[in-house]
Amino acid sequence: MFITFEGPDGSGKTTQVHLLYRYLKEQGYPVYLAREPGGTRIGDQIRAVLHDVRNVEMRPEAEILLYSASRAQLVGQVIRPRLAAGDIVLCDRYAESTLAYQGYGRQLDLATLQIITRFATGGLRPDLIIYLDIPVEEGLRRRLAAHQQDGAEWNRMDQETVDFHRRVRAGYLQMAQTEPERWCVLDASQPVDVIQQRIREEVLARLEGA
Ligand code: TYD
């Protein structure tokens, strides 16, 4: 089973994916946690290029190809072998981030992005997408607070306009609406433990049904 976590910046999905990872491990499930961009030695090098705030001249076309290159490496080197070995694979962001950020956010052609994504992943799609939804202003406020208080990373996407992040969120909601059986949409303004409980219920129901 392949489960991905998606959401606008500051939605708390990284916290939630770690909590789920620990929980499944404690329950005795074989589980692997990956993240994007990065998750492999090569992918981490690509991540550094993508996130460097000095890279202001990066073309949107270069950006999507770099995210896709990182993903191709992760899928081939890690995710497919883990799934084949019977692990549950959790991934902090995946292809839907590209559609949301580069497609809806940067307004690149969605059909082209889908072709590139299919090529990069060999068509591997998540069984379940946990989407943590948060209003843009609240997400950005949390993100800035984490950066200022805890030294959390501030990357090229964080520099983007509020309108960009609004398009990203609207894109996610549209994708979720189109394929409701694959998406689990949760209100990320709820307390962490309430959200985690809902995620566990959803995942266990699918594991038991599988
Ligand atoms: P990251 O530091 O992993 O933050 P987060 O905790 O929000 O996941 O940064 C990833 C950033 O890269 C985030 O702003 C979303 C963006 N991104 C894309 O634009 N396209 C993609 O395909 C992926 C995977 C991420």
Side-chain angles (χ1 to χ4, degrees):
M1 185 155 183
F2 180 31
I3 305 171
T4 63
F5 280 66
E6 296 285 351
D9 293 77
S11 59
K13 67 188 166 34
T14 304
T15 304
Q16 293 294 343
V17 74
H18 278 96
L19 288 172
L20 180 66
Y21 173 74
R22 272 216 303 274
Y23 172 74
L24 290 175
K25 244 190 143 70
E26 279 161 20
Q27 298 299 304
Y29 287 102
V31 54
Y32 186 85
L33 173 59
R35 74 151 179 198
E36 278 209 7
T40 61
R41 198 177 62 81
I42 292 172
D44 286 340
Q45 295 175 54
I46 298 172
R47 178 186 176 92
V49 174
L50 277 165
H51 283 191
D52 191 334
V53 289
R54 289 171 307 178
N55 287 341
V56 283
E57 74 276 33
M58 190 181 292
R59 305 294 305 157
E61 295 79 6
E63 182 180 271
I64 168 37
L65 292 170
L66 285 170
Y67 278 115
S68 300
S70 168
R71 180 167 309 132
Q73 192 65 34
L74 183 67
V75 169
Q77 189 183 331
V78 177
I79 298 181
R80 280 193 191 274
R82 290 287 175 166
L83 289 173
D87 284 5
I88 300 168
V89 176
L90 309 179
C91 197
D92 188 348
R93 293 197 182 282
Y94 187 63
E96 283 65 25
S97 283
T98 292
L99 298 174
Y101 283 80
Q102 281 66 51
Y104 291 90
R106 297 257 187 259
Q107 298 176 301
L108 293 178
D109 179 54
L110 279 172
T112 307
L113 297 195
Q114 270 153 351
I115 292 169
I116 296 171
T117 299
R118 219 175 302 133
F119 176 70
T121 60
L124 179 69
R125 299 201 61 204
D127 300 298
L128 173 64
I129 300 161
I130 308 273
Y131 171 64
L132 295 179
D133 186 50
I134 188 127
V136 167
E137 286 78 4
E138 172 65 10
L140 294 176
R141 198 188 55 69
R142 286 188 189 181
R143 186 86 186 166
L144 188 60
H147 172 62
Q148 288 173 343
Q149 289 160 22
D150 313 324
E153 184 191 69
W154 188 256
N155 64 43
R156 277 190 324 109
M157 292 299 165
D158 295 311
Q159 314 254 73
E160 277 298 333
T161 61
V162 171
D163 273 354
F164 172 89
H165 288 285
R166 285 215 179 94
R167 288 197 299 275
V168 170
R169 181 187 183 208
Y172 271 129
L173 289 171
Q174 194 168 326
M175 287 189 274
Q177 217 173 27
T178 317
E179 257 191 329
E181 61 298 338
R182 201 188 291 269
W183 290 71
C184 169
V185 178
L186 297 171
D187 173 3
S189 60
Q190 301 174 93
V192 170
D193 55 331
V194 173
I195 300 171
Q196 181 60 204
Q197 194 50 41
R198 277 286 298 115
I199 294 174
R200 288 177 188 176
E201 284 163 15
E202 185 72 28
V203 169
L204 290 180
R206 291 191 186 231
L207 283 172
E208 280 152 19

